[in-house]
Amino acid sequence: MRRARPRPRIRANSRAVAALALSTAALTALTACGAAPEEKAETGAKGVKFTEATSAADFGGFDELVAAAEKEGELNVIALPPDWANYGEIIKSFQAKYKIKIKSETPDASSSDEIAAVKSRKGQKRAPDVLDLGIAFARSGAAENLFAPYKVTAWDKIPDSQKDADGRWYNDYGGYVSIGCDAARIKNCPETFADLLKPEYKGKVALNGNPTKSGSAFGGVYAAALANKGSFGDIQPGIDFFGKLKKSGNFIPVESTPATVEKGETPISIDWDYLNAGYADQFKGKGVDWKVSVPKDGVYAQFYSQAINKDAPHPAAARLWMEYLYSTEGQNLWLKGYARPVLLPAMTEDGTVDKTFVAKLPAVEGTPTFPSSEELDKANTTLSENWDKAVS
Amino acid sequence: MKAGGRTRRRRPPRAWLGALPLLVFAGLCFGLPAGALLYGAVTRTDPASGTTELTGEHLQRSLQGPYLTSLTGSVELSALTAAIATVFGVLIAQAVVTSRRGALRGAVLTASGVLANFGGIPLAFAFVATLGISGVVTQIGHLDALGWNLYSFTGLTVIYLYFLIPLMVIVVVPALDGLRPQWREAARNNGATAWQYWRHVGLPVLAPSLLGGFVLLFGSAFAAHATAAALVGGSVPLVTLKIADALSGNVLVGQENVALALSLDMIVIAGLVMAVYLPLQRRSSRWLH
């Protein structure tokens, strides 16, 4: 029952005015986007616009680049988890070295989130300046003309197979598919894909996600394909392998995370070696003895790629960030996080590599080879069509 | 509508202006995304030239192969869990409503309020810790010997019931409160058994609320994503997981439009469920007036 209350009399007119005022307020609140004010593009000493600079020389030298970047004073990064490949320390060191504040957004974003952010915030101050992308996204983004070509000082040392000829993207760091295993719970740790089929590993083997979504799980299936007479052009044997593993009850589809590893729910986890090696450190003294091995029968390495947003709000800082990542210091910081930086072979040759970190990496034999774009696309298509069928 | 309703009061002119903010808000927050979704689902933009054209390709792809399997998988899981939760929810709610202890009622309703909103990764991990392979309950009860596997359709069903049953309790308690004791007494005085009372009086009166509850639960289960993503990855095909894969992954490129088409399929399915529910509800709400 509503109580009848004397209602205040408001004239219809003033009510209409109030309604209008309210809706206008709502509208302005909803449409106020942070559009960047039109600025005149800065130019360096040589008269090249920062947004079009393709090397430090275009700024008039490295010191000029630093000065220009510090004048901007800010850098937007996205999708860089602090505990992934030592990014936390890299960000700290960069801020300490240069007077530039890094705004790190959505650390756990995926590559497609990054590309979406570039597209949807074109021309805004909040757009990401630099990107760290899965290889397929680096290639498709370059094809869509989203990246600025830029060649860092160490450009010539990056192997040709790991860079775009125009410098729109190049590989930064990578790792090998590895098998992590909790020696405290598993008597004999598996060291190859063939080992994983043994009945003793029933209900123990996990991937770190769904391979149609997670890059490292995809790598795991690819490596399993190589281990089972497949090739870069033929991922199907890898899918069949996991189908067999699921049937035998060894494979559990739960996503392995630090939490499931620590609890012992996923005592064997297939993941990038740099993540698995990081777990080993993280769990020391927590009752988990995490051993990492790169399976000899399925060696698959994959690198991520760096790119600069073509419409970066801080073009100079973005380029300085690239220079920093590909400097000896930046590369060694990735190495400290167990990731293998792209310049590792070159730095091993000229002796600038930090040997203590190299010694900690899981052992691998031979040099890595990489699938071509076509092969990757084919593998993706095959996987998205057949994965569900194999494991459900 | 009551028969022979009162004559409508004349609305003052410009009264709709008062509703304008709401309409604008709904248009922006619901209409825009829905429109963008529809547009993306039926168009294709060529990345090289930037031209956009109409196409039925995405919708066609969203109804084939693994995508179709995921749609049917989601409908099966949602319908099954919603049906089970409807039954158990009503039984628990009836027990609470007829109990004479106020404290019990308060406790159950509060707990239901909390549990109905328990979801996502925390819920998944809570189940991993208790009913996973090395989970506490699994180990103590040797459930694995009985063939229990959390990472399966059955496991997901159990988890979904964990938050759907409390949700049903919350929804249906007010309706059960509305069953007047006089009706039951009248039925009893006329020699009706308990079964006859429920069959001819109780359930017909409750039908609209039960149907509404079922539709709400179906929607909740249909739209759930995070829990399933953390638990079963790709091994139980669900449409929400497929949309996430296509929309924001590190592997598949250029599947965004298929994801939008899949979302459109979801909206259509939800619409169909409503289309079945509304006439039924209209038929059964006659008894309430």
Side-chain angles (χ1 to χ4, degrees):
Chain A
M1 275 302 290
R2 267 202 325 205
R3 252 191 237 127
R5 261 189 315 193
R7 299 217 341 241
R9 276 229 157 110
I10 301 177
R11 285 212 319 279
N13 263 345
S14 62
R15 206 183 283 177
V17 168
L20 270 175
L22 251 177
S23 44
T24 345
L27 266 175
T28 39
L30 282 164
T31 50
C33 282
E38 280 295 314
E39 284 174 40
K40 232 172 56 191
E42 293 262 10
T43 53
K46 297 181 62 182
V48 181
K49 281 187 193 154
F50 289 176
T51 47
E52 285 164 18
T54 55
S55 68
D58 282 348
F59 287 87
F62 189 75
D63 296 341
E64 303 290 329
L65 165 61
V66 175
E70 287 186 336
K71 196 170 156 226
E72 286 171 355
E74 276 184 357
L75 177 74
N76 299 345
V77 300
I78 183 171
L80 306 183
D83 54 356
W84 176 290
N86 205 21
Y87 260 122
E89 190 178 345
I90 292 173
I91 289 174
K92 269 202 204 81
S93 314
F94 181 81
Q95 295 194 118
K97 189 166 179 154
Y98 305 109
K99 294 187 208 61
I100 295 171
K101 194 173 168 351
I102 291 185
K103 289 186 177 166
S104 178
E105 179 205 346
T106 351
D108 290 327
S110 66
S111 297
S112 45
D113 297 336
E114 294 180 62
I115 295 290
V118 167
K119 285 181 182 167
S120 65
R121 300 193 209 145
K122 207 177 151 98
Q124 295 183 19
K125 270 220 163 335
R126 302 177 303 129
D129 287 304
V130 281
L131 307 159
D132 181 345
L133 298 158
I135 185 71
F137 290 87
R139 286 168 179 167
S140 70
E144 291 183 57
N145 198 10
L146 300 174
F147 309 143
Y150 182 82
K151 295 181 180 174
V152 288
T153 312
W155 170 258
D156 294 331
K157 293 183 191 158
I158 302 172
D160 283 342
S161 64
Q162 304 209 37
K163 63 189 178 194
D164 170 56
D166 304 332
R168 289 171 300 180
W169 57 263
Y170 19 106
N171 288 355
D172 42 18
Y173 61 87
Y176 287 84
V177 167
S178 68
I179 302 176
C181 159
D182 183 359
R185 287 189 174 86
I186 308 279
K187 219 180 293 158
N188 304 308
C189 275
E191 288 183 350
T192 60
F193 279 101
D195 286 349
L196 293 175
L197 290 165
K198 291 178 183 165
E200 61 190 280
Y201 303 131
K202 193 169 166 60
K204 304 231 182 300
V205 187
L207 285 167
N208 101 328
N210 182 349
T212 54
K213 185 167 192 236
S214 144
S216 57
F218 172 78
V221 180
Y222 227 159
L226 300 178
N228 289 281
K229 300 197 179 71
S231 65
F232 285 146
D234 182 17
I235 196 174
Q236 189 60 42
I239 300 173
D240 297 341
F241 172 83
F242 276 99
K244 206 154 72 181
L245 211 56
K246 176 86 182 8
K247 260 200 197 64
S248 70
N250 287 15
F251 176 62
I252 44 173
V254 66
E255 190 176 320
S256 65
T257 62
T260 59
V261 166
E262 194 176 343
K263 243 214 105 274
E265 185 71 11
T266 54
I268 299 173
S269 169
I270 300 165
D271 210 337
W272 296 127
D273 58 353
Y274 51 91
L275 298 179
N276 265 333
Y279 284 172
D281 282 355
Q282 198 180 333
F283 296 131
K284 261 199 189 103
K286 287 191 181 170
V288 176
D289 180 13
W290 200 245
K291 295 258 186 290
V292 189
S293 58
V294 175
K296 285 187 194 62
D297 53 354
V299 177
Y300 176 66
Q302 191 179 305
F303 279 71
Y304 283 85
S305 318
Q306 286 288 333
I308 300 175
N309 178 1
K310 194 162 129 249
D311 304 303
H314 311 104
R319 285 155 177 80
L320 181 62
W321 172 251
M322 293 292 267
E323 293 288 357
Y324 182 72
L325 293 180
Y326 291 86
S327 69
T328 308
E329 189 178 334
Q331 295 277 303
N332 273 325
L333 280 172
W334 268 325
L335 190 58
K336 192 176 174 184
Y338 302 104
R340 294 162 205 261
V342 71
L343 298 175
L344 185 58
M347 286 165 65
T348 313
E349 229 164 85
D350 62 20
T352 49
V353 73
D354 193 320
K355 293 194 179 53
T356 47
F357 301 144
V358 175
K360 284 177 137 187
L361 292 176
V364 181
E365 289 156 26
T367 49
T369 46
F370 303 100
S372 67
S373 292
E374 294 75 35
E375 286 169 333
L376 263 182
D377 289 347
K378 193 175 157 215
N380 279 337
T381 317
T382 312
L383 189 76
S384 63
E385 278 168 9
N386 300 342
W387 175 256
D388 290 4
K389 273 204 289 275
V391 297
S392 51
Chain B
M1 280 300 294
K2 286 188 180 154
R6 288 161 298 173
T7 46
R8 284 241 204 106
R9 264 181 310 169
R10 286 281 309 280
R11 294 212 191 120
R14 282 196 300 252
W16 59 271
L17 272 177
L20 194 64
L22 174 71
L23 294 175
V24 169
F25 185 77
L28 280 173
C29 292
F30 181 74
L32 267 184
L37 196 149
L38 180 68
Y39 176 80
V42 298
T43 57
R44 178 179 37 218
T45 306
D46 189 9
S49 59
T51 51
T52 306
E53 53 186 356
L54 272 178
T55 173
E57 181 200 14
H58 310 306
L59 281 166
Q60 193 188 344
R61 283 196 52 194
S62 77
L63 295 172
Q64 287 171 344
Y67 291 121
L68 181 64
T69 320
S70 75
L71 275 168
T72 50
S74 268
V75 171
E76 276 170 27
L77 181 66
S78 311
L80 179 72
T81 50
I84 299 174
T86 302
V87 173
F88 281 94
V90 171
L91 292 176
I92 293 170
Q94 176 64 10
V96 170
V97 167
T98 50
S99 89
R100 294 197 184 81
R101 292 207 186 88
L104 175 75
R105 182 190 168 106
V108 170
L109 285 181
T110 310
S112 297
V114 174
L115 293 177
N117 290 301
F118 189 29
I121 311 275
L123 176 66
F125 192 71
F127 267 86
V128 166
T130 47
L131 286 165
I133 287 174
S134 60
V136 183
V137 179
T138 316
Q139 295 295 341
I140 293 172
H142 296 295
L143 296 178
D144 41 356
L146 305 172
W148 164 252
N149 178 7
L150 177 67
Y151 310 114
S152 62
F153 189 89
T154 323
L156 267 192
T157 307
V158 171
I159 295 185
Y160 277 31
L161 290 176
Y162 189 76
F163 63 86
L164 288 177
I165 293 177
L167 185 60
M168 189 66 193
V169 172
I170 296 173
V171 170
V172 86
V173 158
L176 289 170
D177 281 336
L179 286 180
R180 293 188 203 139
Q182 295 91 321
W183 296 344
R184 182 188 283 252
E185 287 158 12
R188 191 129 343 131
N189 290 340
N190 288 320
T193 60
W195 162 244
Q196 281 173 316
Y197 161 73
W198 281 112
R199 164 81 185 71
H200 296 287
V201 181
L203 284 175
V205 170
L206 283 178
S209 330
L210 295 187
L211 271 172
F214 175 83
V215 170
L216 179 73
L217 300 188
F218 181 90
S220 276
F222 198 52
H225 160 253
T227 312
L231 269 177
V232 296
S235 65
V236 175
L238 294 177
V239 66
T240 41
L241 303 186
K242 278 276 173 279
I243 292 175
D245 289 357
L247 208 53
S248 76
N250 288 307
V251 178
L252 300 173
V253 181
Q255 298 281 316
E256 292 85 355
N257 296 83
V258 180
L260 295 174
L262 275 173
S263 314
L264 196 63
D265 297 339
M266 278 183 83
I267 293 176
V268 169
I269 291 172
L272 286 174
V273 172
M274 288 306 281
V276 173
Y277 155 69
L278 287 173
L280 279 174
Q281 195 214 18
R282 215 169 294 140
R283 247 195 64 190
S284 59
S285 58
R286 278 186 317 205
W287 288 289
L288 285 178
H289 297 293

